């Protein structure tokens, strides 16, 4: 598939071991803190809500999920969906919406609908990862700004900007160069530790995690959402829950596909869907804001050497330890180090090879890729972006096949006219199909051979009905032969006017749910 192909060789070189798993998990935990806090602020809730969400979603999907090495937690994709719900109805309705979101995702997994992620075209995947890479990059720019008391933002200037940019560049340089020297310790973690040590040792003033919000807190407590148990409440939360569930599953299953390619293994989409649902269900009962898989953190984890579930368990557990015991230390970590890590994630996530493929790709694929990327960047709605990409791809596919149907005429030994149809007969190809027949000049018996074709929908049935009626009005008879069993089933309602030959029907196989 080619997604994140530049990282695959590096990933192959890393052997999974306990040291890599633990260090990778620690690196991810450090990077989770500012993101969880930032997503909480976007949603309009307390930072601890985002941190607790990251813990519950992370630990449950780590234990029960279908993709070892994939990190889940509170995400911006979910945060932007719930902003209006929190503003309009309050945080308790958010908790209720997260519970319903979890139930929807469990249902999707139980019904084995996760397999449909395989229907996402490569051009949509390219647009998805490229759009997310840009979103990850742009999300870091806020750390180069000051926020006044009244909420107005302005860019850093002078020495603060120079310090911020300088240490971001140093972080990125360490991450890029260290693997060329040694792979004994994950480069992102080394970069965070080195930059933090320099800034703390020399007392350099710059933004830290503590400047965003305090992360100190206690153990999360069970909490039933304080909302009326009524149909009115469901009417309020269900639209948000449905969007959150779809956004969460799409991002999770696409991230799963990316990690599959990086590790050259296969995750289990339906199992992951159930795990995501259970995680969000529990999260809603512990005052959480919901979440899903995180492509940036997952790439950090895998590229740092993680392959098993241990790293994905270490990350949320370490995050909880930060909240309970290590908040004073974590709050001193400079944002420059974490921004540098995320910038490198953005660079690694972007599919640079897709830019070189513009000249060789069909124009329709280029349009799909750009559309998905732009919708992702400007609207931050991954579900809408992916759906738009799939719809455009489906329309292009239908148009191409609409013009790819042929009916080759011949005369058999009995003097009957035989039309050998080649290509699918469905709503888009009906017009081209009708143009292939010469009703006035054909003999009394016309045979339409579907050995290389299939009747796919009601439009195709209607086209055959009308064609039969045209021949009948001229005193001629139409026979259909070599129809597949599913095509015959569709034509049962037309049996009164169509005589069908069922001999030598082709057999078809369908995809199995096995391993899905």
């Amino acid at each position: 598939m080619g997604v994140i192909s530049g990282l695959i060789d590096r990933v192959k070189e890393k052997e999974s071991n306990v040291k890599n798993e633990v260090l990778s998990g620690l690196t991810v935990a450090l990077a989770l803190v500012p993101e969880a806090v930032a997503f909480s602020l976007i949603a309009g809730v307390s930072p601890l809500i985002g941190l607790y969400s990251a813990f519950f979603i992370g630990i449950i999907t780590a234990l029960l999920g279908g993709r070892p090495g994939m990190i889940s937690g509170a995400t911006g994709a979910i945060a932007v969906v719930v902003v209006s719900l929190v503003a309009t109805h309050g945080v308790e309705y958010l908790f209720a919406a997260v519970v319903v979101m979890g139930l929807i995702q469990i249902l999707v997994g139980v019904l084995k609908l996760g397999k449909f992620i395989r229907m996402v075209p490569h051009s949509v995947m390219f647009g998805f990862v490229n759009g997310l890479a840009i979103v990850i990059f742009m999300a870091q720019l806020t750390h180069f700004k000051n926020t006044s008391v009244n909420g107005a933002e302005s860019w850093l200037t002078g020495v603060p900007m120079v310090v911020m940019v300088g240490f971001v560049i140093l972080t990125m340089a360490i991450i890029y160069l260290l693997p060329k020297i040694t792979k004994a310790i994950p480069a992102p973690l080394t970069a965070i530790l080195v930059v933090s040590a320099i800034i703390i040792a020399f007392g350099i003033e710059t933004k830290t995690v503590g400047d965003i919000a305090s992360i100190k807190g206690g153990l999360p407590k069970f909490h039933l959402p304080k909302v009326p148990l009524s149909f009115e409440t469901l009417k309020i939360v269900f639209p948000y829950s449905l969007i959150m569930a779809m956004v969460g599953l799409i991002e999770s299953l696409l991230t799963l596909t990316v990690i599959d390619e990086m590790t050259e293994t296969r995750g289990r989409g339906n199992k992951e869907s159930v795990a995501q649902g259970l995680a969000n269900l529990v999260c809603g009962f512990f005052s959480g804001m919901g979440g899903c898989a995180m492509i940036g953190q997952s790439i950090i984890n895998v590229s740092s050497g993680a392959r098993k579930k241990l790293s994905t368990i270490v990350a949320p557990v370490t995050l909880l330890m930060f909240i309970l015991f290590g908040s004073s230390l974590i709050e001193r970590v400079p944002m420059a180090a974490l921004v540098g890590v995320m910038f490198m994630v953005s660079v690694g996530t972007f599919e640079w090879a897709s830019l070189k493929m513009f000249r060789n790709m069909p124009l329709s694929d280029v349009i799909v890729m750009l559309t998905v990327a732009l919708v992702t960047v400007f609207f931050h709605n991954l579900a809408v972006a992916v759906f738009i990409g799939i719809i455009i791809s489906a329309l292009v596919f239908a148009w191409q096949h609409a013009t790819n149907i042929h009916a080759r005429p011949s005369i058999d030994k009995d003097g009957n006219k035989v039309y050998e149809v080649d290509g699918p007969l469905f709503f888009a190809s009906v017009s081209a199909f009708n143009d292939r027949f010469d009703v006035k000049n054909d003999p009394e018996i016309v045979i339409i051979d579907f050995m290389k074709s299939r009747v796919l929908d009601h439009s195709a049935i209607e086209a055959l009905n009308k064609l039969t009626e045209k021949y009948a009005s001229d005193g001629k008879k139409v026979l259909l032969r070599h129809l597949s069993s599913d095509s015959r089933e569709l034509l049962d309602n037309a049996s009164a006017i169509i005589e069908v030959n069922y001999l030598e029907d082709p057999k078809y196989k369908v995809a199995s749910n096995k391993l899905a």
Side-chain angles (χ1 to χ4, degrees):
M1 183 167 55
V3 180
I4 317 180
S5 55
L7 290 176
I8 291 180
D9 290 338
R10 288 173 55 189
V11 168
K12 287 180 182 177
E13 294 173 1
K14 299 214 178 245
E15 293 183 0
S16 177
N17 55 52
V18 173
K19 182 198 71 175
N20 283 344
E21 297 287 325
V22 172
L23 293 179
S24 297
L26 179 59
T27 305
V28 170
L30 288 168
L32 277 173
V33 174
E35 289 208 346
V37 171
F39 298 148
S40 302
L41 298 178
I42 290 173
V45 298
S46 164
L48 278 176
I49 289 178
L51 291 167
Y52 288 148
S53 300
F55 166 72
F56 279 112
I57 295 172
I59 193 68
I60 293 174
T61 55
L63 295 172
L64 304 177
R67 177 62 269 178
M70 189 168 79
I71 300 294
S72 296
T75 61
I78 301 298
V80 294
V81 174
V82 304
V83 172
S84 59
L85 176 63
V86 174
T88 306
H89 297 283
V91 71
E92 294 295 332
Y93 278 83
L94 167 62
F95 302 151
V98 173
V99 170
V100 178
M101 166 193 180
L103 294 174
I104 294 172
Q105 291 179 325
I106 292 171
L107 184 62
V108 170
V110 170
L111 295 178
K112 300 187 182 299
L113 301 180
K115 62 186 177 183
F116 289 108
I117 197 65
R118 303 174 199 166
M119 294 177 63
V120 177
H122 289 178
S123 54
V124 175
M125 279 293 296
F126 283 141
F128 167 76
V129 295
N130 289 349
L132 271 182
I134 297 171
V135 168
I136 292 171
F137 178 86
M138 294 177 64
Q140 310 312 311
L141 298 182
T142 185
H143 301 302
F144 292 86
K145 298 178 182 179
N146 278 322
T147 304
S148 63
V149 179
N150 59 9
E153 290 186 338
S154 60
W155 290 98
L156 296 173
T157 57
V159 175
M161 178 61 92
V162 172
V163 170
M164 186 72 174
V165 172
F167 281 107
V168 168
I169 293 174
L170 176 60
T171 302
M172 296 174 70
I174 293 173
I175 294 173
Y176 178 74
L177 296 173
L178 184 62
K180 300 179 183 298
I181 302 171
T182 178
K183 297 182 176 70
I185 184 172
L189 178 60
T190 303
I192 292 172
L193 294 176
V194 168
V195 171
S196 298
I198 293 173
I199 289 176
I200 293 172
F202 290 94
I204 300 172
E205 291 190 10
T206 186
K207 276 189 173 184
T208 64
V209 171
D211 294 329
I212 299 177
S214 173
I215 67 167
K216 186 176 182 180
L219 287 170
K221 298 178 180 179
F222 181 81
H223 172 79
L224 285 173
K226 295 179 180 179
V227 297
L229 294 176
S230 65
F231 183 70
E232 290 300 317
T233 299
L234 184 62
K235 283 173 62 178
I236 292 171
V237 303
F238 186 78
Y240 291 97
S241 299
L242 182 61
I243 295 172
M244 291 160 67
M246 293 302 100
V247 168
L249 285 180
I250 288 172
E251 183 163 358
S252 297
L253 294 177
L254 289 180
T255 301
L256 180 146
T257 303
V258 170
I259 302 304
D260 280 356
E261 182 183 349
M262 291 181 66
T263 59
E264 295 189 342
T265 57
R266 182 176 174 182
R268 302 182 66 180
N270 292 320
K271 185 177 181 182
E272 183 64 36
S273 298
V274 173
Q276 292 285 337
L278 287 171
N280 282 301
L281 180 64
V282 173
C283 192
F285 286 121
F286 281 86
S287 304
M289 59 181 283
C292 59
M294 309 176 75
I295 189 169
Q297 306 302 337
S298 299
I299 291 174
I300 291 176
N301 194 44
V302 173
S303 60
S304 295
R307 294 293 179 278
K308 306 296 182 182
K309 290 188 174 185
L310 178 59
S311 62
T312 56
I313 295 172
V314 169
V317 170
T318 303
L319 177 63
L320 184 61
M321 294 301 102
F322 289 163
I323 297 171
L324 297 176
F325 310 113
S327 59
S328 59
L329 291 175
I330 301 305
E331 287 172 7
R332 298 180 68 184
V333 173
M335 286 307 304
L338 298 175
V339 169
V341 170
M342 296 312 296
F343 274 169
M344 290 302 287
V345 169
S346 176
V347 172
T349 302
F350 196 91
E351 182 49 61
W352 298 99
S354 64
L355 301 180
K356 299 178 181 178
M357 296 166 60
F358 270 18
R359 293 182 180 179
N360 301 322
M361 291 173 68
L363 179 61
S364 59
D365 285 348
V366 174
I367 292 173
V368 168
M369 185 170 67
L370 292 177
T371 301
V372 173
L374 291 174
V375 173
T376 302
V377 169
F378 289 105
F379 296 98
H380 292 203
N381 193 323
L382 301 178
V384 171
V386 172
F387 282 139
I388 289 176
I390 291 174
I391 289 170
I392 295 175
S393 298
L395 291 174
V396 170
F397 176 85
W399 176 255
Q400 290 174 343
H401 282 72
T403 58
N404 194 30
I405 187 167
H406 306 281
R408 298 180 180 86
S410 63
I411 303 296
D412 66 11
K413 61 182 180 180
D414 299 319
N416 302 321
K417 186 75 166 283
V418 179
Y419 287 94
E420 295 181 9
V421 183
D422 188 354
L425 181 58
F426 66 116
F427 68 92
S429 61
V430 163
S431 179
F433 173 78
N434 287 330
D435 292 339
R436 301 295 189 265
F437 296 90
D438 186 2
V439 177
K440 290 184 178 180
N441 298 319
D442 280 345
E444 291 185 0
I445 296 180
V446 174
I447 300 172
I448 305 177
D449 192 328
F450 282 89
M451 175 64 81
K452 298 180 181 179
S453 179
R454 295 177 72 179
V455 178
L456 297 179
D457 60 11
H458 182 74
S459 296
I461 295 173
E462 188 63 26
L464 289 173
N465 284 338
K466 290 182 178 179
L467 185 63
T468 302
E469 289 172 356
K470 286 182 181 179
Y471 277 106
S473 64
D474 274 11
K476 299 172 183 178
K477 188 176 184 180
V478 173
L479 299 174
L480 307 182
R481 75 180 183 193
H482 292 158
L483 283 163
S484 61
S485 58
D486 52 351
S487 297
R488 291 202 312 270
E489 185 177 349
L490 284 173
L491 285 164
D492 281 344
N493 292 334
S495 59
I497 59 172
I498 298 177
E499 185 176 347
V500 180
N501 183 350
Y502 292 146
L503 297 177
E504 303 179 53
D505 295 335
K507 301 294 183 183
Y508 297 94
K509 294 182 180 179
V510 295
S512 170
N513 286 328
K514 191 175 182 181
L515 289 179

